[in-house]
Amino acid sequence: MPARVEQPTSETTERRARRIADLLADMSLDEKLAQLVGVWLNVNREEGVVAPLQDSMQGEEVQFEAFAGHGLGQITRHYGTRPVDPEWAREVLTARQRWLRDNTRLGIPALAHEECLAGLAAWRATVYPVPPAWGASFDPDLVERMAGRIGASMRALGVHQGLAPVLDVIRDQRWGRVEECVSEDPYEVATIGAAYVRGLQSAGVIATLKHFVGYSNSRAGRNLAPVHAGAREVADTLLFPFEVAVRDAGAGSVMNSYAEIDGIPIAADAHYLTGVLRDDWGFDGTVVADYFAIAFLHTLHAVAADAEDAAVQALTAGIDVELPNGVTYLEPLKRAVTTGRIDESLVDRALRRVLTQKARLGLLDDDYEPALGGPVDLDDPASRDLARRLAEESIVLLTNDGVLPLGDAAGTSIVVVGPNADSVAALFGCYSFVQHVLPHFPEVETGLAAPTVLEALRAEFPDAAIRAERGTGVDDGDRTGIAAAARLAAGSDLAILVLGDRSGLFGRGTSGEGCDVETLELPGAQRELAEAVLATGTPTVVVLMTGRGYAVPGLLRDAAAVVQAYFPGEEGAGAIARVLSGAVNPSGRLPMSLPRSPAGQPYSYLHPKLGGAGSVSNIDPAPALPFGHGLSYTSFAYEDMSADVTAPTGGSIHCSVTVRNTGERPGAEVVQVYAADRIASVTRPVAQLAGYARVELDPGESARVGFDVPARLLAFTGREGRRVVEPGEVGVSIRRSVADVVAERTVTLTGPVHEITGAERRLTTVSVEKGH
């Protein structure tokens, strides 16, 4: 059976420690360095660029046996580089692991890693909704189950490490990689991200936290652009999700950010990679380099004179493993060691971490056997069911004048319009295999049974008369079909406009890695198409299938209903259709504010008082719809909020509220609790999420929802540079969204200023008691 992360006995731990010590004492420098690099084989070198500057950094193709003669640290994306039959590829991987065991002097197997953000990025593997959809669901338990399924599929293939989750906090929605992020709120990122880590690692696959740290705060939303964030913003906002994933979820690996913060690239920054991560948080896993990040210290950042200098800086800072290949950690690092430029003890430090991780996976045990067998179904019914449920929970109803739900729409004439209506690609994000790799292999089928929205609507409404017209492309600017779409709309009872993004990589899409935008206007001629359809006066339902939020004030004002679906995965089209019919009651909430102006970025609801509207400026930065917003086909009432009057600065605040389903349909309400320092020694957000609960209630049913909020969530970096909780008044509120306050109470934090030690509880405890 494949190795899994386990809680070993003390005897096993001692045996593995002796094995590691023996290896360290016996290994040559070449053998040591071989354990600190990966190898990436069978890369499409003509058109298959899936990493930044891969075409110039990859080098010549190597033969596995020649490259791995001294051993090997990692095998890079064995399943995720080309479309390969999974069972055949598993046999190849097993043969390579046996070769390492039987033909290298020390017989150490390699770790195999894969991308797995929205599902294992391999041919014919289930594609789940993208992370903003996880955030929209506000359902960490479901995300944990999803990650567990992803991990199980990876284990069945002999994969040991997954390069997920992404814990970057959304700061600017122009950034193309917003579609890989959970939320603009660090607390939600932390809770959802930790759930993913627990799920993946429960299956024996190491989770890798990305991208540590600051990557999402790049200037003007440009990928890899410099980050200008103060130490307070980094500490108080950007680091928190990583801290929770390390300290509370036990993440086994961390990947550095490509970013430079205030002129220092993270790949060379010992303050974060060693000081914060290891010294402060106690992290004992491996730090792996984002692809080519170490070489970028020379080629992009220009802080290293050459590859050798880059290797010295990265290893000293705390990067243990170079991925995807050994561009700097083989010959360049060997020169640095043999010439005395860097002490070999730093190589040993990284090597010990790598060997410890392999030992925990059982790869160093005498009885390790890489053989795996049995049939492989990477898109089994259980996985598809989870993908369906997450898609359904993630769809956000933004506006509705009563046109939805449609019921069975029998006898209704419906025209379905828009570039994403009949597009399978519109379902998937850029780190799905479908969008990441298959565009370079156009002759290969997706291998998935994924209907388009048009096909799903026809299945959901068999007694409706449905016609379709594309109207325009996502971003091609083609206006030749707009008039035809308007004519069809004018002659129909209902129009369904399916608009949005096309995910891709490095300019090959409107969303995704390297697909940043200058403004948050819908791409191409889509706004013109929408205006033409709306001008007919036909009631129009708009479905936005995107990787980010767009400024669509005209749609929010004039459409009968607007639905937001962040690339919802292979089951997403059916989920959208069921939400429109009413078979599914929408329960998603916005994980990022919906912009009001195309130029209104960067924006976060976590702004201090002067970040909002006021007489000092003619610009109102308020979004069109706030973080946490989402409508339902039923209604909910709140009653009897209570909260502590006082609480210690080193303790917790308890509050509770009763929520009741006052409508006629079962539904889920996301109860949100926010907190705000009334007065502090530094400026603080006007509100910050401090807890949430997704509560499913039948008509007439109620529940008492309690939150025990650690005061630590109100900590900030004070004027002296220490993270503290100050005494004073705090507003604690129950809200439907950050802008919709149900009730608020004042709690006074008492006692001395509490300096954060790291031992404090970081997450809010939630209780739900039905029947109140």
Side-chain angles (χ1 to χ4, degrees), residues 58-310:
Q58 178 67 18
E60 297 298 320
E61 179 75 16
V62 297
Q63 295 299 312
F64 178 81
E65 292 80 1
F67 186 89
H70 294 295
L72 181 62
Q74 297 221 8
I75 295 173
T76 295
R77 296 182 63 172
H78 177 73
Y79 297 93
T81 299
R82 289 174 174 268
V84 292
D85 177 79
E87 292 183 16
W88 173 84
R90 185 176 61 182
E91 292 177 3
V92 173
L93 180 60
T94 298
R96 286 177 175 163
Q97 295 283 37
R98 283 177 173 161
W99 188 91
L100 288 169
R101 183 193 63 189
D102 299 338
N103 294 279
T104 60
R105 187 175 74 89
L106 300 171
I108 302 173
L111 262 69
H113 77 257
E114 296 287 345
E115 298 285 358
C116 59
L117 185 63
L120 170 61
W123 190 42
R124 303 205 302 251
T126 302
V127 183
Y128 296 88
V130 294
W134 313 350
S137 77
F138 279 82
D139 193 344
D141 291 340
L142 185 57
V143 170
E144 183 171 344
R145 289 177 57 199
M146 174 197 72
R149 292 298 305 175
I150 295 170
S153 67
M154 297 171 78
R155 277 193 66 228
L157 295 175
V159 178
H160 310 97
Q161 183 167 356
L163 303 187
V166 172
L167 300 185
D168 297 304
V169 178
I170 297 169
R171 305 298 278 173
D172 190 329
Q173 293 188 52
R174 295 174 297 179
W175 189 44
R177 301 193 79 168
V178 164
E179 67 166 68
E180 300 173 48
C181 303
V182 173
S183 173
E184 75 177 78
D185 181 85
Y187 183 84
E188 193 189 10
V189 178
T191 51
I192 297 288
Y196 185 99
V197 170
R198 289 192 301 269
L200 195 73
Q201 295 193 163
S202 72
V205 175
I206 297 164
T208 307
L209 311 181
K210 297 164 42 172
H211 305 85
F212 186 76
V213 59
Y215 191 26
S216 60
N217 211 35
S218 58
R219 180 65 66 90
R222 291 180 56 248
N223 198 37
L224 273 70
V227 172
H228 296 275
R232 179 172 287 106
E233 181 179 1
V234 175
D236 294 353
T237 301
L238 304 181
L239 282 174
F240 181 68
F242 292 94
E243 181 181 9
V244 169
V246 168
R247 286 181 145 166
D248 295 281
S253 188
V254 171
M255 176 177 279
N256 76 282
S257 160
Y258 285 129
E260 57 182 70
I261 299 180
D262 196 24
I264 302 178
I266 294 296
D269 196 335
H271 168 69
Y272 291 113
L273 296 180
T274 298
V276 171
L277 187 58
R278 296 191 185 278
D279 297 342
D280 294 349
W281 297 349
F283 176 68
D284 66 351
T286 57
V287 175
V288 300
D290 205 344
Y291 286 14
F292 310 115
I294 301 175
F296 288 168
L297 294 175
H298 168 55
T299 60
L300 292 186
H301 297 292
V303 297
D306 50 28
E308 180 181 333
D309 188 13

Side-chain angles (χ1 to χ4, degrees), residues 535-605:
T536 66
T538 297
T540 300
V541 174
V542 177
V543 177
L544 298 170
M545 299 176 68
T546 69
R548 58 165 67 85
Y550 281 99
V552 289
L555 300 184
L556 298 177
R557 181 188 64 240
D558 298 332
V562 181
V563 170
Q564 172 71 60
Y566 303 102
F567 297 130
E570 65 183 61
E571 292 288 326
I576 290 169
R578 288 187 291 276
V579 165
L580 297 190
S581 73
V584 169
N585 190 350
S587 59
R589 301 294 186 268
L590 286 176
M592 62 188 95
S593 308
L594 194 72
R596 180 179 52 82
S597 165
Q601 293 288 306
Y603 175 82
S604 169
Y605 90 84

Side-chain angles (χ1 to χ4, degrees), residues 426-510:
L427 300 169
F428 305 124
C430 75
Y431 268 77
S432 68
F433 192 82
V434 175
Q435 296 294 73
H436 205 78
V437 176
L438 284 188
H440 307 298
F441 301 90
E443 73 284 0
V444 178
E445 298 289 335
T446 65
L448 302 170
T452 67
V453 171
L454 177 61
E455 291 167 341
L457 290 172
R458 284 178 167 150
E460 187 71 13
F461 304 112
D463 296 322
I466 296 179
R467 296 176 294 173
E469 173 60 52
R470 180 169 177 262
T472 187
V474 169
D475 62 340
D476 58 15
D478 181 11
R479 294 165 171 81
T480 56
I482 292 178
R487 284 193 298 271
L488 284 175
S492 301
D493 298 324
L494 178 74
I496 299 177
L497 264 171
V498 189
L499 309 173
D501 278 319
R502 183 186 69 257
S503 189
L505 294 171
F506 306 112
R508 299 192 293 270
T510 62

Side-chain angles (χ1 to χ4, degrees), residues 171 185-186 232 236-237 604-612 674-680 682-689 713-717 730-731 735 738 744:
R171 305 298 278 173
D185 181 85
R232 179 172 287 106
D236 294 353
T237 301
S604 169
Y605 90 84
L606 292 163
H607 60 74
K609 190 172 182 179
L610 278 175
Y674 291 81
D677 254 322
R678 298 276 171 77
I679 299 292
V682 302
T683 61
R684 300 294 296 139
V686 293
Q688 66 180 86
L689 185 69
L713 286 178
L714 290 158
F716 57 86
T717 303
V730 173
R735 309 188 184 198
V738 69
E744 184 171 21

Side-chain angles (χ1 to χ4, degrees), residues 693-717:
R694 180 187 172 88
V695 184
E696 297 186 2
L697 296 171
D698 289 330
E701 188 178 20
S702 65
R704 187 71 180 174
V705 184
F707 300 93
D708 194 61
V709 180
R712 183 254 178 266
L713 286 178
L714 290 158
F716 57 86
T717 303

